[in-house]
Amino acid sequence: MQEIVMPTNNQGMALLCLLVPILPLLGFILNGLGNRKLAKGLVSMIGCGTVLASFLISIYLFLDFTANGSQAYLVDYYNWISAGDMRIGFSFMIDQLTLLMMLMVTGIGFFIHLYSAGYMSHDENFGKFFAFINLFMFSMLLLVMGSNYVMMFVGWEGVGLCSYLLIGFWNKNTNYNNAAKKAFVMNRIGDLGFLLGIFLIFITFGSVSYPEVFAEAARFTGGIDSNIMIAITLLLFVGAMGKSAQIPLFTWLPDAMAGPTPVSALIHAATMVTAGIYMVLRSNVLYVLAPTTLEVIAIVGVATAVLAATIGLAQNDIKKILAYSTVSQLGYMFLALGVMAFSSSIFHVLTHAFFKALLFLGAGSVIHAMSNEQDIRYMGGLRKYLPITFLTFLIGTLAIAGIPPFAGFFSKDELLAHVWEHNKVLWGLGMLASFMTSFYMFRLVFLTFFGTFRGTESQKHHLHESPISMTLPLIVLAILSTVGGFLGIPAVFGENMHVLQNYLAPIYGYAQVANAAAVAPLHIDHATEWMLMGLSVGVAVIAALIAYVMYVSKKTVPVAEGERLSPLHNLIYNKYYIDELYDTIIVRPLMWMSSAFHRFLDVIVVDGIVNGFGKMVMQSGRSLRYAQSGAIGFYIMVMVFSIVLILFLNFFIG
């Protein structure tokens, strides 16, 4: 079991840890204050430079951590909140999981910042955009580096705020503003569950600090699947459902594509939406004490993966397809968590960050070349005009489809192998989602880059490859999507070759003490593993071939807007009318209740009382003003009468 220690007399290390989130915060301040005043080149240097510096410091911290025995430690800066016996410090916990997330967030974040310098170069609010994404980096780093649930929650809310600001960044468009509000409200529903879970953790364990909570949980005497542990873990999972877009709180994420494409890549694909997975993984000792909750997580995850994949089959907006793909892949990650394949889940988080950031940035390059056109029905033949974008996008597609040797194959195959061992029905549903993923992604590739161009002559004349500031991040992410999977080489190729699993093993120490059966290694023979890999690859290849026949050989083009769809196609195209269902059973009743309460409570009761007092005062004033006649004799008479009355009362009563 890994002990958490305090660094001794190491002020330099404490300063470096603090600089990782503070540098992007400095970028936010400088770019925010200098919006429309600083030159765009300077804004880019500040925005990208601060994140690059954080990335380099994270690399140093990682190397130092590894060189010094990989001993997890706390960096405590000051006592932040004190109330009675409660002490919450502003402190960071540096361990294997923290460092992995820091490298992912700052590394991918830097390349997306670099991409943004080219993609957003013509926007009038260039400085404000960089200020917002710098603020997001600060919040995300606070979320993953904090040593307690309160700091995680502060970062959690910070990334939610930045998501709201960036979805509605082009705030002159009402639809974009509505999408931002939808994301904000749906996330608040999840966040309420997360907050209640934190309260219950404090009540149960007397602390919100990770080392103290996890140590107490490892000694928990309530047994496996106690009511209190199920309640805590379910409440935390509600928060994860909102942030990581799981059923039923998933409909905000596709609408979040209203924001600029770099936002979709950074926040809504690679980092923020994986915060729910990080939170569950960080709390692994609590979840292994609640197998019932894990079963719920697995079922919700696989249901989300399948549902989102079916919706992705019929979408025509290039970013919406990738958005539903993201929801589906997040479902895979929760499926892995639900079967206690914790390392497989974070492995898929990492590879997904590579290939999904690549795919979104590739989509942005296409949109940039197509003069902001996002409908794939009006594209086609773009590989001739955008060769770098095409090649890198194809690599991202091969990775997400699970074709070896690209990154997605390794993480998805390992994930599904754990699911096979746990439950064959869940595995079958996972394979179905994998088939659909491969189909709709190759459908996207074939309709966008193959065949003849279906857009306007004006768009065709404008077609060109993106500048180096945009293509360089595509190339780097394509390389990572190609080789990133070798961090987790399957056991059939050699024992003890899973670098990521070996690296993360110490973070499960408390979980193994709490539940000896938890975090067990994969127990399937090599023949079965070869069979599962073959099936996984075979399903992906068959789906790709079907897509090729339909959209390249037969040159099928999706039905144009306004044309009649089959009932099933129409149902899927309209996302099963889930938004309309929510509008009918939740939004409209709430609006009706709000209107009714306004008419009765506000207008009749509250306004009636307030206005009644006002009318009474005004009416009494109108009556009493006649007593102010201005006649001195009348005033003297009233005074004498009052004195006589006082003396009379005093004599008979006093």
Side-chain angles (χ1 to χ4, degrees):
M1 183 168 63
Q2 182 171 232
E3 296 292 335
I4 312 297
V5 301
M6 286 287 295
T8 305
N9 299 323
N10 197 338
Q11 299 296 327
M13 192 61 66
L15 178 60
L16 286 175
C17 290
L18 186 61
L19 283 175
V20 174
I22 289 298
L23 284 168
L25 181 63
L26 178 63
F28 160 71
I29 294 170
L30 293 176
N31 284 329
L33 293 175
N35 182 39
R36 299 195 183 187
K37 296 178 183 178
L38 297 177
K40 290 184 177 180
L42 183 58
V43 169
S44 301
M45 289 179 61
I46 293 171
C48 297
T50 53
V51 178
L52 176 61
S54 291
F55 178 48
L56 295 175
I57 295 172
S58 298
I59 293 174
Y60 175 81
L61 291 172
F62 170 77
L63 295 174
D64 179 79
F65 181 85
T66 306
N68 288 286
S70 300
Q71 176 64 61
Y73 59 87
L74 284 179
V75 185
D76 196 359
Y77 294 99
Y78 62 90
N79 194 23
W80 179 28
I81 299 174
S82 296
D85 295 332
M86 182 175 67
R87 297 288 184 273
I88 300 175
F90 185 91
S91 56
F92 297 146
M93 188 172 83
I94 306 299
D95 69 352
Q96 291 84 352
L97 181 58
T98 304
L99 288 165
L100 183 67
M101 293 298 292
M102 286 166 62
L103 289 171
M104 187 186 82
V105 170
T106 56
I108 292 179
F110 165 67
F111 286 109
I112 294 177
H113 275 66
L114 181 62
Y115 179 96
S116 301
Y119 189 85
M120 299 295 292
S121 60
H122 301 297
D123 197 281
E124 59 179 347
N125 289 310
F126 187 78
K128 185 170 76 171
F129 176 81
F130 267 90
F132 286 168
I133 57 174
N134 280 157
L135 180 62
F136 167 80
M137 294 296 293
F138 164 75
S139 300
M140 190 67 198
L141 288 166
L142 201 64
L143 189 156
V144 300
M145 294 177 69
S147 69
N148 56 70
Y149 283 101
V150 173
M151 286 192 66
M152 180 193 282
F153 187 75
V154 171
W156 190 279
E157 292 302 296
V159 296
L161 169 65
C162 294
S163 175
Y164 167 77
L165 293 173
L166 286 162
I167 294 170
F169 181 75
W170 290 315
N171 51 34
K172 295 179 181 179
N173 186 312
T174 302
N175 291 331
Y176 294 176
N177 291 332
N178 290 337
K181 288 186 287 186
K182 180 179 180 180
F184 190 82
V185 170
M186 293 195 78
N187 272 273
R188 296 295 71 71
I189 297 170
D191 293 353
L192 175 60
F194 186 26
L195 192 58
L196 292 174
I198 294 173
F199 290 157
L200 202 51
I201 286 173
F202 180 76
I203 292 169
T204 305
F205 301 110
S207 175
V208 292
S209 173
Y210 298 150
E212 295 175 10
V213 171
F214 299 160
E216 288 296 319
R219 297 188 292 267
F220 185 65
T221 58
I224 305 297
D225 257 351
S226 65
N227 291 336
I228 187 67
M229 206 57 70
I230 291 175
I232 289 172
T233 51
L234 281 176
L235 285 170
L236 294 180
F237 179 55
V238 169
M241 289 166 66
K243 193 66 72 186
S244 298
Q246 297 298 286
I247 292 173
L249 303 177
F250 74 97
T251 58
W252 68 269
L253 184 57
D255 288 3
M257 298 304 106
T261 300
V263 175
S264 304
L266 178 62
I267 297 182
H268 302 126
T271 55
M272 184 193 83
V273 292
T274 63
I277 291 94
Y278 167 79
M279 184 265 289
V280 174
L281 187 59
R282 173 60 76 195
S283 309
N284 61 81
V285 63
L286 304 180
Y287 280 90
V288 300
L289 289 169
T292 297
T293 302
L294 288 174
E295 203 64 34
V296 170
I297 291 174
I299 292 169
V300 170
V302 77
T304 303
V306 172
L307 181 70
T310 60
I311 297 175
L313 294 172
Q315 300 307 303
N316 298 315
D317 184 308
I318 188 170
K319 288 177 67 176
K320 285 287 182 71
I321 296 170
L322 296 179
Y324 281 107
S325 169
T326 300
V327 175
S328 184
Q329 296 302 308
L330 290 168
Y332 270 118
M333 297 168 202
F334 279 107
L335 173 59
L337 291 174
V339 300
M340 287 195 282
F342 296 127
S343 292
S344 301
S345 181
I346 195 66
F347 187 20
H348 201 55
V349 167
L350 189 63
T351 60
H352 178 264
F354 297 153
F355 59 70
K356 188 51 65 66
L358 168 62
L359 290 168
F360 265 112
L361 295 187
S365 182
V366 170
I367 294 167
H368 177 77
M370 288 288 298
S371 304
N372 297 319
E373 177 62 69
Q374 294 185 198
D375 196 322
I376 60 175
R377 291 173 294 189
Y378 306 111
M379 298 180 185
L382 297 186
R383 57 180 173 157
K384 295 181 292 185
Y385 305 98
L386 312 173
I388 298 175
T389 300
F390 163 66
L391 182 59
T392 54
F393 199 95
L394 179 61
I395 290 172
T397 300
L398 291 168
I400 194 174
I403 306 295
F406 299 96
F409 161 73
F410 292 94
S411 58
K412 188 184 292 186
D413 172 72
E414 179 186 313
L415 184 159
L416 289 173
H418 279 279
V419 177
W420 166 272
E421 187 181 34
H422 179 81
N423 185 295
K424 304 301 186 289
V425 174
L426 293 179
W427 175 83
L429 292 171
M431 288 294 287
L432 175 61
S434 180
F435 174 85
M436 291 187 287
T437 298
S438 180
F439 177 82
Y440 66 65
M441 285 306 305
F442 278 101
R443 170 181 179 266
L444 170 58
V445 169
F446 295 143
L447 286 173
T448 302
F449 295 101
F450 286 72
T452 56
F453 184 69
R454 297 181 297 276
T456 64
E457 283 299 318
S458 175
Q459 288 173 329
K460 187 174 182 179
H461 180 72
H462 183 264
L463 291 175
H464 63 280
E465 186 58 272
S466 299
I468 187 65
S469 63
M470 293 172 64
T471 54
L472 179 61
L474 293 178
I475 294 169
V476 173
L477 289 169
I479 293 171
L480 291 173
S481 299
T482 304
V483 303
F486 291 99
L487 288 171
I489 297 177
V492 293
F493 296 111
E495 296 297 329
N496 206 34
M497 294 182 66
H498 200 300
V499 176
L500 188 64
Q501 189 176 66
N502 295 335
Y503 175 72
L504 291 173
I507 72 170
Y508 310 124
Y510 286 117
Q512 289 169 338
V513 172
N515 184 351
V519 204
L522 194 61
H523 293 298
I524 57 175
D525 57 74
H526 289 346
T528 304
E529 194 168 358
W530 279 113
M531 178 196 72
L532 294 176
M533 282 194 290
L535 288 173
S536 178
V537 175
V539 162
V541 170
I542 290 170
L545 290 174
I546 293 173
Y548 180 84
V549 170
M550 288 181 63
Y551 299 106
V552 177
S553 298
K554 295 185 177 181
K555 299 181 180 180
T556 305
V557 178
V559 175
E561 198 70 44
E563 293 187 25
R564 188 176 182 83
L565 301 172
S566 68
L568 179 60
H569 191 174
N570 190 59
L571 180 66
I572 298 174
Y573 178 75
N574 287 287
K575 301 158 285 187
Y576 298 102
Y577 298 98
I578 294 174
D579 279 315
E580 289 78 4
L581 177 65
Y582 288 171
D583 187 64
T584 301
I585 67 174
I586 297 174
V587 177
R588 291 184 183 178
L590 284 175
M591 294 295 289
W592 180 86
M593 288 173 59
S594 175
S595 178
F597 280 129
H598 168 73
R599 289 194 301 269
F600 176 71
L601 288 178
D602 281 359
V603 176
I604 297 176
V605 178
V606 177
D607 288 354
I609 293 172
V610 173
N611 294 337
F613 275 109
K615 290 177 180 178
M616 183 178 68
V617 170
M618 291 180 66
Q619 190 60 43
S620 62
R622 290 193 188 99
S623 301
L624 290 174
R625 68 189 176 93
Y626 293 111
Q628 300 292 329
S629 62
I632 295 175
F634 175 75
Y635 294 157
I636 293 173
M637 183 187 72
V638 171
M639 183 180 69
V640 170
F641 176 78
S642 299
I643 292 171
V644 171
L645 181 62
I646 291 170
L647 291 173
F648 177 81
L649 293 173
N650 185 59
F651 179 79
F652 285 101
I653 298 175

